[in-house]
């Protein structure tokens, strides 16, 4: 797919980086589609993710649901959610895969205070650099999808990387490679969005009038999108209806932090002026006393 070389376009706690025009021509944005209407809850994607990334999550216990583990962890980057519902006097299972959404405007990256700990590549992948993570947990608070998790062993945060190492080798993510039903598809963003719209049209033709594509614009769109039976009620799949970056994060990063920087510069300037004026007069007074 021509993804062997990727450029960082944004990095936490630093100014945005812009790739050269020549590099930009070689880059393509990618997207993973999760079609819940085709998912059978086999958990093959979970096993593939664990095997490829050498993750060994703890064995859970049965607590009244087939959903296990109940959510992502530092050693479980993708989970299948099982929901039991009653609709039209019929019992139904709802299955949905959950992992990092790779937002176009990532709340985790905006919240992170450590330079280079979180980066965003031009293909859309948002990746964590664990070597630079300081374990503050701000990225967890900044994520509107509640995905990143702290590892208590090394006090660092981890999440799905969209198999960036596989993408750089021209392969698709391990979960998409493994899915036996076609519920997961991966490729260039425009092609995946077009296919998703075709699936929605087919579902609507079959009577699912509220079917739609889940690609929330509150975070600038995501590079992991869903086809849902009912786009008006994503909460039934444990997806937030209108995810947005926390106002607290926006306030700190966009408003207070620049003011703090200005305040620091002003303080240094006043200190320099004080040193030049008051400091010199005191030196002159001391010399006069000595005489």
């Amino acid at each position: 797919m021509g993804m062997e070389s990727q450029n960082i376009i944004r990095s936490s706690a630093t100014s945005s980086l812009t790739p050269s025009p020549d590099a930009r021509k070689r880059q393509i944005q990618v997207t993973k589609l999760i079609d819940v209407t085709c998912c059978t809850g086999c958990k093959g994607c979970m096993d593939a993710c664990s095997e490829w990334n050498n993750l060994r999550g703890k064995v859970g216990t049965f607590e009244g649901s087939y959903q296990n583990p109940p959510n992502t962890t530092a050693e479980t980057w993708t989970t299948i959610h099982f929901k039991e519902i009653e609709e039209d006097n019929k019992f139904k299972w709802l299955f949905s895969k959950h992992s990092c959404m790779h937002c176009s405007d990532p709340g985790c990256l905006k919240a992170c205070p450590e330079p280079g700990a979180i980066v965003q590549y031009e293909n859309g992948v948002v990746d964590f650099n664990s070597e630079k993570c300081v374990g503050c947990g701000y990225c967890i608070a900044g994520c509107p999808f509640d995905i990143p998790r702290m590892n208590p062993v090394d006090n660092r945060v981890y999440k799905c990387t969209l198999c960036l190492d596989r993408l750089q080798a021209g392969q698709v993510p391990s979960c998409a490679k493994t899915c036996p039903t076609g519920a997961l598809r991966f490729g260039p963003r425009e092609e995946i969005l077009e296919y998703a719209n075709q699936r929605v049209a087919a579902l609507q033709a079959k009577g699912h009038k509220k079917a739609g594509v889940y690609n929330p614009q509150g975070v600038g769109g995501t590079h992991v999108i869903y086809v849902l039976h009912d786009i008006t009620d994503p909460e039934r799949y444990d997806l937030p209806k209108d995810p947005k970056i926390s106002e607290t994060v926006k306030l700190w990063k966009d408003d207070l932090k620049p003011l703090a920087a200005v305040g620091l510069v002003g303080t240094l300037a006043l200190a320099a002026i004080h040193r030049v004026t008051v400091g010199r007069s005191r030196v002159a007074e001391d010399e006069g006393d000595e005489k």
Side-chain angles (χ1 to χ4, degrees), residues 1 32-33 42 44-49 52 97 162-163 166-167 170-187:
M1 293 185 181
K32 180 171 68 178
L33 170 66
C42 71
C45 56
M46 291 179 59
D47 289 339
C49 177
W52 181 260
K97 177 184 181 298
L162 206 58
C163 286
R166 290 177 62 91
L167 302 190
Q171 302 182 55
V172 301
S174 58
C175 57
K177 179 72 173 178
T178 302
C179 182
T181 65
L184 300 182
R185 286 178 176 259
F186 182 85

Side-chain angles (χ1 to χ4, degrees), residues 148-170:
R149 290 291 181 268
M150 182 79 70
N151 189 336
V153 176
D154 60 7
N155 201 40
R156 292 172 176 170
V157 181
Y158 297 88
K159 70 167 189 66
C160 158
T161 67
L162 206 58
C163 286
L164 181 63
D165 51 348
R166 290 177 62 91
L167 302 190
Q168 292 171 336

Side-chain angles (χ1 to χ4, degrees), residues 18 92 151 161 205 268 270:
T18 304
K92 294 183 179 180
N151 189 336
T161 67
L268 293 176
L270 289 174

Side-chain angles (χ1 to χ4, degrees), residues 11-15 106-119 128-129 132-143 150 155 157 249 252-253 257:
S11 181
S12 59
T14 59
S15 300
C108 59
L109 186 149
K110 179 164 283 190
C112 179
E114 185 65 17
I118 302 178
V119 296
F128 283 16
N129 185 347
K132 294 184 178 181
C133 178
V134 296
C136 67
Y138 289 174
C139 59
I140 299 174
C143 175
M150 182 79 70
N155 201 40
V157 181
V249 172
W252 162 241
K253 287 290 186 174
K257 191 172 182 180

Side-chain angles (χ1 to χ4, degrees), residues 1-280:
M1 293 185 181
M3 290 178 277
E4 290 78 4
S5 176
Q6 288 298 327
N7 299 293
I8 295 175
I9 61 171
R10 198 180 305 178
S11 181
S12 59
T14 59
S15 300
S16 298
L17 302 178
T18 304
S20 66
D22 292 337
R24 191 180 297 114
K25 294 178 182 178
R26 298 196 302 270
Q27 308 302 310
I28 60 172
Q29 289 200 352
V30 295
T31 297
K32 180 171 68 178
L33 170 66
I34 303 173
D35 188 345
V36 302
T37 68
C38 299
C39 181
T40 61
C42 71
K43 294 189 176 182
C45 56
M46 291 179 59
D47 289 339
C49 177
S50 296
E51 287 299 320
W52 181 260
N53 294 290
N54 194 28
L55 302 173
R56 296 295 180 264
K58 293 182 179 179
V59 177
T61 57
F62 182 73
E63 298 181 2
S65 172
Y66 287 110
Q67 184 173 319
N68 187 15
N71 215 325
T72 56
T73 71
E75 290 288 335
T76 304
W77 295 353
T78 186
T79 58
I80 293 292
H81 286 206
F82 289 67
K83 300 294 287 290
E84 301 174 357
I85 67 168
E86 185 178 344
E87 190 174 73
D88 299 328
N89 295 321
K90 294 181 180 179
F91 175 81
K92 294 183 179 180
W93 277 104
L94 298 182
F95 305 119
S96 57
K97 177 184 181 298
H98 288 255
S99 59
C100 176
M101 298 293 286
H102 296 273
C103 306
S104 295
D105 186 15
C108 59
L109 186 149
K110 179 164 283 190
C112 179
E114 185 65 17
I118 302 178
V119 296
Q120 182 181 30
Y121 292 92
E122 194 171 7
N123 65 354
V125 174
V126 178
D127 195 18
F128 283 16
N129 185 347
S130 60
E131 296 301 320
K132 294 184 178 181
C133 178
V134 296
C136 67
Y138 289 174
C139 59
I140 299 174
C143 175
F145 297 97
D146 189 32
I147 291 296
R149 290 291 181 268
M150 182 79 70
N151 189 336
V153 176
D154 60 7
N155 201 40
R156 292 172 176 170
V157 181
Y158 297 88
K159 70 167 189 66
C160 158
T161 67
L162 206 58
C163 286
L164 181 63
D165 51 348
R166 290 177 62 91
L167 302 190
Q168 292 171 336
Q171 302 182 55
V172 301
S174 58
C175 57
K177 179 72 173 178
T178 302
C179 182
T181 65
L184 300 182
R185 286 178 176 259
F186 182 85
R189 185 167 180 79
E190 293 184 0
E191 293 181 12
I192 294 298
L193 288 173
E194 181 180 359
Y195 175 80
N197 289 326
Q198 291 174 358
R199 282 291 300 147
V200 168
L203 288 168
Q204 291 177 346
K206 292 180 179 180
H208 298 281
K209 300 302 181 181
K210 296 181 180 180
V213 177
Y214 183 80
N215 180 28
Q217 297 306 304
V219 289
T222 54
H223 291 268
V224 175
I225 64 175
Y226 288 78
V227 168
L228 303 178
H229 294 94
D230 185 354
I231 193 61
T232 66
D233 188 19
E235 288 97 335
R236 72 195 305 194
Y237 290 97
D238 294 332
L239 295 169
K241 191 167 187 176
D242 187 22
K244 295 179 180 178
I245 297 176
S246 167
E247 292 300 324
T248 302
V249 172
K250 288 183 179 179
L251 180 65
W252 162 241
K253 287 290 186 174
D254 297 337
D255 298 328
L256 296 183
K257 191 172 182 180
L259 290 176
V262 172
L264 176 61
V265 172
T267 300
L268 293 176
L270 289 174
I273 294 173
H274 182 274
R275 175 66 178 174
V276 171
T277 58
V278 179
R280 285 184 175 178

